Amino acid sequence: MILLQSPSRFLLQILQDRVLSGEKGMDIDCHTVEFDDVRYHIQFSMRNPKVMVLSVALPLPPPEAILYDGLPLGAIEAIKAAYGPVVQILDPPKDGFDLTMKINLTKLPPDEEQRNAILTQIASVREVVLGAPLKVLLKHLASKTVAPNVDKLVALVHRPNESFFLAPQADKVTIVYPMRFQDSIDIVLATSFLQEFVEARRTAALNNVPSCMWSPAPPLELKGVPADALNANAGFVTFVVYPRHVEGKKLDRTVWNLLTFHAYVSYHVKCSEGFMHTRMRRRVESLIQALDRAKSDAEKLKKLVHGASFNRLSLKNEGN
Amino acid sequence: MADLDFFIGDEALSRLRSSGLYTLRSPIHNGQVDDWDTMERFWQQCIFNYLRCNPEEHYFLLTDSPVSTPESRECTGEIMFETFNVPGLYISVQSVLSLSAGYAYLKSISDENSDPSSDMTGVVVDIGDGASHIVPVVNGYVIGSSIKSFPLSGSDVTQFVSQLLQERGELVPPEDSLDISRKVKEMYCYTCSDIVKEFKKHDKKPDKYIKHWSAIKPKTGVPYTIDIGYERFLGPEIFFKPEIYSADFATPLPQLIDRCVQSAPIDTRRALYKNIVLSGGSTMFKDFHKRLQSDIKKIVDERVAATNAEHHVEVRPIEVNVVAHPIQSYAVWFGGSVAASNPEFYEYCHTKEEYEEHGASICRTSPVFKGMY
C-alpha cells in the first residue's frame, strides 16, 4: 500500500453488514476517529434499522481558513451531488459535530455493483466534505478559468489548527503545505523524505506529474500570511497542478491525494523507521554470528547437565 | 518500494489465491512472535490502513500470551515506542482480559451489584488457533508458576479433520484441503458426551448426522461434494483424548485443568474450581463447556470420595463450574475494550517518558504478575 485509500474501512464494514443483515435491528452507537482530525459518530436505532445517522466533526479550523456554517465551501452541494436521494442533511447538526446526515438504506439501488459503489462513496465522506473546496477550484482549473469571487490565496483546513494554501490561476494552481511534526526524529526523517521525494520527481519516467518543490523557508506565494500559520518545522512543499492533472477521472484522485498529503508523509516516515529497524536487526544478527565464530571450540560445547546443549539467546529471524 | 507491497488479514489470503506474486508469512507461531520484521509491518498496516489513526496521539493496549518471554515484551515495547512514537503502552495478558470479559458479561445479564474487581478469580482456559493455555488468576493476578500449556490447539483440530477426510477417501482438492477442513470445523463440529454412543447414533441414522459440503474445484472448475461424518465429533475429541491424534501427549484437557488448580495455593482452589472461564475460538464447539464440566467434576468427585474413605471424614463437596458465554471467541478483545475504557487505564500504562528514561526494560514486568517474576 503506497497511497492511502479514501473510504474508511470502519464505516464501510458497518454499512455493508447492515445492508446484508436484512431486517434484524440492533442498536449501534459508536464513535471513531480518522487520522485524528475527523471524528465520526454512527447511530442506528432499533425502531428504524435501515436508517443510519452519521455525524461528522471536522478538524478545528485555524483563523486563516474560511468556513461557511462550519463547513468548507461547496460541501453541501458536493454531498447532494455524490449521494443523491440516499442522504438527507439534518440542520442543525448534532452538538459537537459539524455535519449530521441521515442515510436511508432502503433507497439504495438494488443492483449490487451500484450499491457497493454508493456505500464506498458514503464511507469516503471525508473526501467529499473536506475535499469539496479543492474540487471546486480544480474543476475550474480543468476548464482553464478562475473561480469567481475567490481570493488570490485560499487557505484550506486539513489538520486541527493547520491549513494548507492554494494560489489559483487560470492555467495552474499552486499548492503549498507547511509541514509540521512533533517528534524530533520524525522531523529529520520527514525532511529528508521530502527532499528525496522532490529528487524522485526529476527522473525521466515521471515527466508528466505535477512539479514539486521543497524549501526550508516559506515560498513567495505565501506573502502576507500571518506568521503563526507559517511556523513549519519540516519545511514547505509546493505542488504545481496543471489542467492535464485534473482531467476527467483524475480529478477525484488528485483531490484525495492532495487532501491527505500530511497523513501520507507521516505514514511513510513510519514505514522508513520500520525499514531501518529491519536493517538494524539484521546487522545485529550478523555481528552476533561473527562473535560466535570467533569463539573457541571449548566455549561452544557448554552442555547442560542432562546433555542438551544450551541455546544462546539471539534475535531470531526466520524466513529471511 | 517493494517493502510496501504487502497485505494483511483476509485481504492477504485472497491476494495469495488470486495471484502468484506473493508469498505468505505468519509472524506468530504457537502464540509467540518469531518474526519481528513482519510483525512491525503488520502493525504499520493495522494502524494506518485499518484503524486510520495517528499513533502519536493514542495510548495503545496490546495483548500477549501468558507464557511469552520478557524479551518479546521488550521487543514489542521497543517497536511501539521507537517506530510509532506512541505516548503510552500497556501490554496485557490475554487470560486476565478474558476473565474480565466474562465478569462484564455476567454482570450485564444479571444486573447484580456485586463488585467485580474484588472477585477476579478463576481459571482461564484459552484455546486459540496456535496455542492453548490454562491460566489461574486470583484477584486479578496471574499465578505464574501454575500456568499449564496444552500442546494441541485449533490448528490441530483442522489438521485432524483434514487427515480424517483424506483417510476416508473423500475427494478434496489438495490445495484447498486445510481451508475446507477449517470451514467444516467451524460450521459442523460439536462435542459429544460419549464417543461410542455417538458412533452408534451416526450408524443408525446416517442421513440425520452426515452433512454435505459442496464447492467448485478452483483449478478445473468442476463441482464436487464431500460427506462429513464422524469428523464432526472426532475433531474436538482430541482435547479429551489426545492419544487419537498425537502419540507424544496423552493427558486430556480436563485432567490438565485439574492439575493446574491443584498446583495453585490451597486457599484459592475452591474459588478456582467455581469459575472456569473459556476463551478463544476453539472453545466454541457446541456443548464443549458441558463436557469439560462433567469431566472435571468426575475427577474432583473421585478425589473427594477417596479422601473421605481414607480419613473417615465428610468433606464439603466442591463446586465445579465451567462458564460459557456467547462472546467467548472475542473475549480477549472484549476484555481489552472494557479495560481501556476504564479511567484508571492510563495509570497502568508505560509512558514514553518512562521509556526514554529507563529503556525497553520497563516492558519486562507487567502489573498483573506483580511479585511473581
Side-chain angles (χ1 to χ4, degrees):
Chain A
M1 186 189 73
I2 291 180
L3 294 168
L4 301 166
Q5 271 108 40
S6 78
S8 148
R9 278 166 192 275
F10 186 74
L11 276 175
L12 193 60
Q13 182 99 48
I14 288 186
L15 283 167
Q16 275 172 345
D17 282 356
R18 185 48 62 144
V19 169
L20 296 177
S21 73
E23 286 304 304
K24 255 192 293 163
M26 218 197 341
D27 273 337
I28 294 185
D29 187 342
C30 49
H31 293 261
T32 174
V33 287
E34 200 175 80
F35 299 126
D36 294 311
D37 36 21
V38 176
R39 209 149 43 83
Y40 301 111
H41 182 204
I42 301 158
Q43 274 176 309
F44 273 108
S45 74
M46 281 288 236
R47 271 177 298 135
N48 257 349
K50 289 284 176 192
V51 172
M52 173 165 115
V53 178
L54 172 67
S55 311
V56 185
L58 301 177
L60 203 67
E64 66 269 14
I66 306 160
L67 297 181
Y68 301 89
D69 288 337
L71 291 177
L73 171 76
I76 305 261
E77 290 77 21
I79 292 169
K80 282 182 184 152
Y83 305 137
V86 181
V87 165
Q88 194 189 346
I89 299 171
L90 298 183
D91 199 40
K94 264 207 187 97
D95 225 15
F97 292 90
D98 296 314
L99 171 72
T100 302
M101 302 190 298
K102 210 161 128 186
I103 298 162
N104 195 338
L105 297 181
T106 50
K107 285 192 183 159
L108 289 176
D111 177 53
E112 196 173 329
E113 218 164 275
Q114 279 179 18
R115 193 177 62 203
N116 276 344
I118 201 145
L119 289 183
T120 316
Q121 272 280 10
I122 296 176
S124 333
V125 62
R126 172 199 180 93
E127 180 186 351
V128 173
V129 175
L130 278 180
L134 200 57
K135 209 164 171 175
V136 171
L137 291 173
L138 292 181
K139 249 190 195 149
H140 279 284
L141 173 68
S143 56
K144 299 198 179 165
T145 50
V146 175
N149 60 48
V150 163
D151 299 342
K152 259 177 84 187
L153 192 65
V154 186
L156 294 178
V157 55
H158 70 146
R159 284 164 57 73
N161 272 326
E162 283 182 31
S163 50
F164 63 100
F165 300 92
L166 276 92
Q169 282 163 11
D171 55 346
K172 63 176 187 185
V173 173
T174 313
I175 302 150
V176 186
Y177 293 90
M179 302 302 293
R180 301 179 182 89
F181 287 90
Q182 283 170 3
D183 189 80
S184 56
I185 297 171
D186 279 7
I187 296 172
V188 176
L189 281 176
T191 313
S192 58
F193 174 82
L194 290 170
Q195 280 162 343
E196 277 300 309
F197 191 79
V198 171
E199 203 61 35
R201 161 70 182 78
R202 298 209 180 113
T203 51
L206 299 175
N207 246 336
N208 289 326
V209 302
S211 68
C212 83
M213 277 143 317
W214 178 85
S215 67
L220 287 177
E221 281 87 359
L222 295 189
K223 239 187 226 164
V225 172
D228 39 319
L230 291 180
N231 54 353
N233 54 22
F236 293 82
V237 182
T238 314
F239 289 104
V240 184
V241 177
Y242 290 101
R244 64 168 186 273
H245 301 125
V246 289
E247 282 160 356
K249 280 192 175 166
K250 281 190 207 156
L251 177 66
D252 282 338
R253 248 179 52 208
T254 312
V255 168
W256 172 251
N257 288 346
L258 288 174
L259 202 60
T260 50
F261 185 68
H262 191 279
Y264 168 82
V265 174
S266 124
Y267 167 61
H268 280 271
V269 165
K270 296 288 180 274
C271 288
S272 8
E273 272 177 44
F275 183 65
M276 274 185 263
H277 288 170
T278 308
R279 297 269 305 261
M280 272 146 75
R281 260 179 235 128
R282 237 168 256 173
R283 183 96 181 115
V284 168
E285 182 86 336
S286 69
L287 288 176
I288 289 178
Q289 259 176 15
L291 280 176
D292 269 350
R293 252 179 266 131
K295 264 182 210 146
S296 66
D297 287 345
E299 249 181 304
K300 275 182 194 164
L301 289 172
K302 265 187 193 155
K303 298 247 172 157
L304 290 182
V305 189
H306 41 80
S309 56
F310 175 68
N311 272 338
R312 212 159 277 278
L313 267 180
S314 72
L315 289 162
K316 232 188 194 170
N317 244 341
E318 278 183 15
N320 285 326
Chain B
M1 286 295 159
D3 53 317
L4 291 181
D5 189 13
F6 65 94
F7 299 90
I8 64 169
D10 290 341
E11 221 174 329
L13 290 178
S14 67
R15 290 275 170 159
L16 182 73
R17 222 162 286 145
S18 61
S19 85
L21 290 171
Y22 299 96
T23 51
L24 186 69
R25 277 202 209 170
S26 358
I28 298 181
H29 279 285
N30 298 327
Q32 307 287 323
V33 180
D34 59 16
D35 185 350
W36 288 100
D37 295 344
T38 315
M39 200 64 213
E40 188 168 5
R41 291 197 199 165
F42 182 88
W43 279 327
Q44 179 185 305
Q45 187 90 191
C46 272
I47 293 173
F48 283 96
N49 196 11
Y50 286 79
L51 294 171
R52 292 162 81 95
C53 68
N54 208 355
E56 271 100 352
E57 292 167 32
H58 293 279
Y59 277 62
F60 276 69
L61 171 77
L62 296 178
T63 68
D64 70 354
S65 129
V67 295
S68 72
T69 55
E71 282 83 1
S72 94
R73 273 198 289 276
E74 208 169 88
C75 223
T76 310
E78 207 173 289
I79 291 179
M80 284 329 261
F81 284 116
E82 296 280 350
T83 309
F84 297 110
N85 290 332
V86 298
L89 174 70
Y90 182 59
I91 303 178
S92 178
V93 180
Q94 282 161 3
S95 27
V96 179
L97 293 181
S98 19
L99 193 63
S100 68
Y103 271 109
Y105 177 76
L106 289 180
K107 221 181 137 198
S108 72
I109 53 167
S110 67
D111 279 341
E112 255 176 65
N113 279 333
S114 61
D115 184 15
S117 58
S118 70
D119 209 14
M120 281 276 286
T121 301
V123 183
V124 180
V125 181
D126 186 355
I127 309 177
D129 188 59
S132 310
H133 300 291
I134 303 162
V135 185
V137 181
V138 175
N139 294 331
Y141 294 104
V142 173
I143 301 178
S145 55
S146 305
I147 295 174
K148 299 268 187 259
S149 289
F150 190 70
L152 306 179
S153 58
S155 55
D156 293 295
V157 180
T158 312
Q159 191 75 44
F160 188 52
V161 168
S162 102
Q163 197 182 319
L164 286 173
L165 285 174
Q166 260 165 23
E167 277 169 11
R168 220 186 37 240
E170 296 291 348
L171 295 166
V172 188
E175 65 272 25
D176 272 3
S177 165
L178 278 183
D179 198 38
I180 289 173
S181 313
R182 188 174 55 83
K183 283 180 187 148
V184 164
K185 173 186 87 174
E186 283 163 12
M187 287 164 75
Y188 297 122
C189 279
Y190 64 92
T191 327
C192 63
S193 52
D194 188 337
I195 306 194
V196 183
K197 274 186 204 156
E198 209 64 24
F199 268 117
K200 278 184 193 149
K201 265 202 245 169
H202 272 248
D203 290 340
K204 256 184 211 158
K205 283 188 197 159
D207 35 326
K208 188 184 162 196
Y209 287 101
I210 291 179
K211 300 277 178 191
H212 301 283
W213 172 272
S214 317
I216 293 168
K217 283 191 190 175
K219 287 228 171 99
T220 51
V222 183
Y224 67 95
T225 307
I226 55 170
D227 293 344
I228 302 150
Y230 302 144
E231 294 81 31
R232 294 186 59 201
F233 60 88
L234 282 179
E237 193 64 29
I238 64 168
F239 294 115
F240 303 97
K241 295 200 174 55
E243 64 271 17
I244 62 175
Y245 173 68
S246 102
D248 313 331
F249 192 78
T251 316
L253 183 65
Q255 201 179 333
L256 202 65
I257 296 175
D258 182 63
R259 263 189 220 163
C260 162
V261 177
Q262 288 299 317
S263 66
I266 195 160
D267 56 331
T268 61
R269 290 182 199 163
R270 266 179 199 275
L272 289 176
Y273 276 124
K274 213 169 126 186
N275 190 22
I276 298 169
V277 180
L278 300 179
S279 145
S282 301
T283 57
M284 295 296 282
F285 299 113
K286 195 168 159 272
D287 293 337
F288 190 81
H289 64 285
K290 286 186 193 154
R291 171 79 186 268
L292 209 54
Q293 170 149 357
S294 70
D295 281 17
I296 299 173
K297 182 86 185 150
K298 216 185 282 169
I299 299 172
V300 171
D301 284 351
E302 266 168 30
R303 188 182 310 110
V304 170
T307 317
N308 286 351
E310 197 177 324
H311 301 289
H312 308 289
V313 286
E314 201 52 48
V315 174
R316 195 154 49 93
I318 292 174
E319 194 184 339
V320 176
N321 203 0
V322 178
V323 183
H325 49 78
I327 51 165
Q328 76 201 20
S329 92
Y330 304 111
V332 178
W333 185 88
F334 189 85
S337 129
V338 170
S341 45
N342 189 341
E344 290 162 19
F345 169 71
Y346 294 98
E347 292 166 25
Y348 293 128
C349 285
H350 303 301
T351 60
K352 191 157 168 58
E353 287 77 54
E354 274 168 37
Y355 174 80
E356 275 162 0
E357 190 64 36
H358 304 286
S361 59
I362 53 163
C363 300
R364 280 182 163 253
T365 54
S366 166
V368 296
F369 280 119
K370 214 186 270 169
M372 300 291 171
Y373 276 112

